[in-house]
């Protein structure tokens, strides 16, 4: 009966929920055993399948440029006579250039960026979280202590932020918290709500597999390819490089050009081929 129940949960909901149910049932029967209500724990021996881990997949530079162009085109096309948000591509630009989590991104204040520094930096020190009442607020620290970090901003992103800052000042829109990306009413953006708009847009432009986390994986993969996984782990705010490698860095599919290194095993001087006529 327990086995049938677990398999039904796997089929209807998935392995994660089935494992949670199995753990709860096991503890229930342990209590029952202590009170002599049962003679054995029937959950012991039940096989619960594990989640299949999907390999990390990021965007190449060419794919991102294609996505960005289609996203801007989608933004500029009115929906039912009403204009769409024109900020999705700017959000995507910031996330893929920095590797930030959406919550960290929407918690950024203008005081957190140093655009005139050498190099320009972004200081991540907070995140947006949901409250018990269903709203959002800014938590004064990121997801973990390793999430407190400074990342550099490339030239393109610096120019984009400077234009945005000027646009905010000229518009006179409310922004009492001095946020870089506030809502249209000057409050904190809810990452979940922005994520819903992103899913709608990504489905429409043929990139339904791309989420905000995909942008984070794209950033981590490119950094790991050029600077190593340790640099990628720091950029993402991870404490363990192994976690970055397992969940965020896309597996390298091309052959590594190791010829210059492997030449160390080659003989220093190759013997010249002997002409048969010379031997005669």
């Amino acid at each position: 009966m327990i086995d049938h129940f677990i398999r039904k949960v796997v089929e209807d909901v998935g392995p994660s929920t089935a494992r949670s149910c199995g753990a709860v049932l096991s503890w229930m029967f342990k209590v029952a055993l202590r009170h002599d209500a049962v003679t054995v724990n029937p959950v012991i021996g039940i096989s619960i399948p594990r989640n299949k881990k999907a390999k990390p997949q990021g965007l190449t530079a060419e794919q991102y440029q294609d996505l960005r162009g289609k996203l801007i085109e989608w933004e500029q096309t009115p929906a039912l006579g009403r204009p769409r948000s024109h900020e999705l591509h700017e959000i995507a630009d910031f996330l893929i250039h920095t590797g930030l989590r959406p919550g960290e991104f929407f918690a950024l204040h203008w005081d957190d960026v140093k655009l005139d520094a050498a190099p320009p930096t972004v200081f991540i020190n907070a995140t947006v979280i949901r409250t018990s009442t269903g709203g959002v607020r800014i938590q004064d620290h990121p997801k973990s202590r390793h999430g407190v970090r400074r990342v550099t901003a490339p030239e393109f992103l610096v120019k984009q932020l400077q234009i945005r800052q000027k646009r905010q000042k000229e518009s006179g829109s409310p922004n009492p918290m001095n946020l870089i990306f506030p809502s249209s009413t000057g409050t904190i953006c809810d990452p979940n709500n922005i994520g819903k708009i992103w899913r709608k847009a990504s489905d429409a432009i043929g990139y339904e597999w791309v989420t905000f986390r995909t942008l984070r994986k794209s950033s981590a993969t490119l950094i790991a390819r050029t600077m190593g996984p340790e640099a990628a782990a720091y950029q993402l705010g991870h404490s363990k490089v192994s976690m970055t490698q397992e969940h965020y860095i896309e597996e390298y599919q091309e052959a590594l050009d190791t010829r210059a290194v492997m030449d160390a095993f080659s003989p220093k001087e190759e013997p010249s081929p002997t002409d048969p006529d010379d031997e005669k």
Side-chain angles (χ1 to χ4, degrees):
M1 187 182 296
I2 297 292
D3 183 68
H4 175 75
F5 168 74
I6 292 295
R7 292 184 183 279
K8 191 71 170 63
V9 174
V10 171
E11 181 182 338
D12 294 344
V13 187
S16 294
T17 304
R19 295 187 71 79
S20 297
C21 290
V24 173
L25 284 169
S26 182
W27 278 104
M28 286 170 58
F29 279 105
K30 285 180 181 179
V31 174
L33 272 171
R34 288 201 298 269
H35 291 276
D36 297 323
V38 294
T39 56
V40 294
N41 184 343
V43 184
I44 295 176
I46 297 296
S47 176
I48 305 176
R50 293 186 176 273
N51 288 330
K52 293 182 178 179
K53 293 183 180 179
K55 292 183 178 181
Q57 182 181 6
L59 289 158
T60 64
E62 293 75 16
Q63 285 177 320
Y64 180 69
Q65 293 306 322
D66 181 62
L67 177 149
R68 188 177 188 273
K70 291 177 178 177
L71 186 59
I72 293 174
E73 185 179 345
W74 180 88
E75 290 175 337
Q76 294 174 345
T77 305
L80 300 176
R82 296 190 304 174
R84 289 175 169 144
S85 168
H86 286 190
E87 295 196 333
L88 279 183
H89 75 278
E90 291 189 28
I91 293 172
D93 284 340
F94 201 104
L95 292 178
I96 202 167
H97 280 90
T98 61
L100 267 62
R101 301 177 177 92
E104 296 171 339
F105 167 68
F106 290 114
L108 285 174
H109 301 81
W110 283 110
D111 294 337
D112 297 324
V113 295
K114 304 299 180 187
L115 301 180
D116 297 326
T121 60
V122 179
F123 181 40
I124 298 94
N125 59 89
T127 190
V128 175
I129 61 170
R130 300 196 69 80
T131 64
S132 57
T133 58
V136 293
R137 69 176 180 86
I138 294 180
Q139 177 179 271
D140 62 359
H141 57 86
K143 186 177 180 181
S144 69
R145 64 185 181 88
H146 296 278
V148 178
R149 63 201 187 279
R150 293 184 188 274
V151 300
T152 55
E155 183 180 358
F156 168 79
L157 192 60
V158 170
K159 291 181 179 178
Q160 197 177 66
L161 286 172
Q162 289 171 336
I163 294 171
R164 181 175 185 82
Q165 190 174 39
K166 182 180 178 182
R167 190 168 68 231
Q168 280 187 359
K169 290 178 179 178
E170 292 176 348
S171 69
S173 299
N175 188 12
M177 301 181 69
N178 200 31
L179 296 169
I180 296 179
F181 274 83
S183 69
S184 58
T185 58
T187 58
I188 303 167
C189 275
D190 185 342
N192 289 344
N193 291 342
I194 303 299
K196 290 176 184 177
I197 300 173
W198 174 269
R199 285 192 292 274
K200 184 178 179 180
S202 60
D203 287 348
I205 64 176
Y207 280 93
E208 61 282 344
W209 60 277
V210 178
T211 64
F212 285 155
R213 198 178 186 194
T214 309
L215 301 179
R216 189 164 153 83
K217 292 176 182 178
S218 306
S219 178
T221 299
L222 184 58
I223 292 172
R225 294 280 187 272
T226 55
M227 302 177 67
E230 293 82 5
Y234 175 82
Q235 184 85 9
L236 268 58
H238 289 161
S239 60
K240 296 181 179 178
V241 177
S242 58
M243 182 172 70
T244 311
Q245 290 177 310
E246 183 177 358
H247 299 290
Y248 288 89
I249 299 174
E250 185 175 349
E251 191 175 286
Y252 199 71
Q253 301 292 338
E254 303 297 327
L256 291 173
D257 189 353
T258 59
R259 291 173 296 175
V261 179
M262 293 299 103
D263 277 343
F265 295 114
S266 302
K268 301 304 178 185
E269 293 183 6
E270 283 286 349
S272 57
T274 305
D275 190 336
D277 293 335
D278 291 343
E279 294 183 354
K280 293 177 182 178

